[in-house]
Amino acid sequence: MNAWSGDPIPDGYIQGTTALERQGALVFQVKQCRNCHSIGEAGGQRGPALDSVAVRLTRDQLIRQVIQGGGNMPAYGNNLSPAETTALVAFLETLHPLSQSPARDSARETVVSHSEPQRASQP
């Protein structure tokens, strides 16, 4: 098996990111996620390419996938600290084409908007 984890994440994937997102890219690198997943056409073929993972999965779905695994992916809940998981998911949320918005949970948005107190209009 060829290991790609030593290859750096392409600059285009980390330029303009926050400190948390860059920390997540580091977690991605250190935990050798590229042995199974590709980014920028380099990496493993065992798991799906992650160039547009944020279009397919919401934040909650990404967290669940990382912690619990599923399909071919093992669970990493015992191998990542909560801070590492948060950072990794923040990085994964940046992985979408510029022309597409990340996936969002419309049910959550509805609950949040309905639970906010409504201000009475002032005369």
Side-chain angles (χ1 to χ4, degrees):
M1 172 172 102
N2 292 328
W4 290 274
S5 61
D7 293 345
I9 293 175
D11 289 342
Y13 289 89
I14 55 174
Q15 288 178 346
T17 58
T18 67
L20 180 63
E21 293 161 351
R22 286 190 302 275
Q23 182 66 35
L26 182 60
V27 171
F28 189 86
Q29 190 75 22
V30 169
K31 297 298 182 175
Q32 302 178 352
C33 300
R34 288 180 79 189
N35 282 344
C36 293
H37 298 282
S38 65
I39 291 183
E41 299 180 16
Q45 303 294 313
R46 183 176 187 150
L50 297 180
D51 295 289
S52 60
V53 69
V55 173
R56 298 188 311 267
L57 300 174
T58 66
R59 173 182 293 159
D60 289 344
Q61 290 169 327
L62 287 167
I63 292 168
R64 188 176 321 113
Q65 186 68 28
V66 168
I67 292 173
Q68 296 177 354
N72 233 5
M73 184 171 165
Y76 284 92
N78 292 329
N79 299 332
L80 296 172
S81 70
E84 288 174 320
T85 301
T86 298
L88 177 59
V89 169
F91 171 65
L92 294 174
E93 286 182 296
T94 69
L95 300 179
H96 61 88
L98 294 176
S99 62
Q100 290 183 291
S101 298
R104 55 192 180 93
D105 186 347
S106 58
R108 172 180 275 187
E109 292 171 11
T110 301
V111 169
V112 170
S113 68
H114 287 194
S115 65
E116 293 176 352
Q118 301 295 318
R119 292 187 172 162
S121 55
Q122 298 292 327

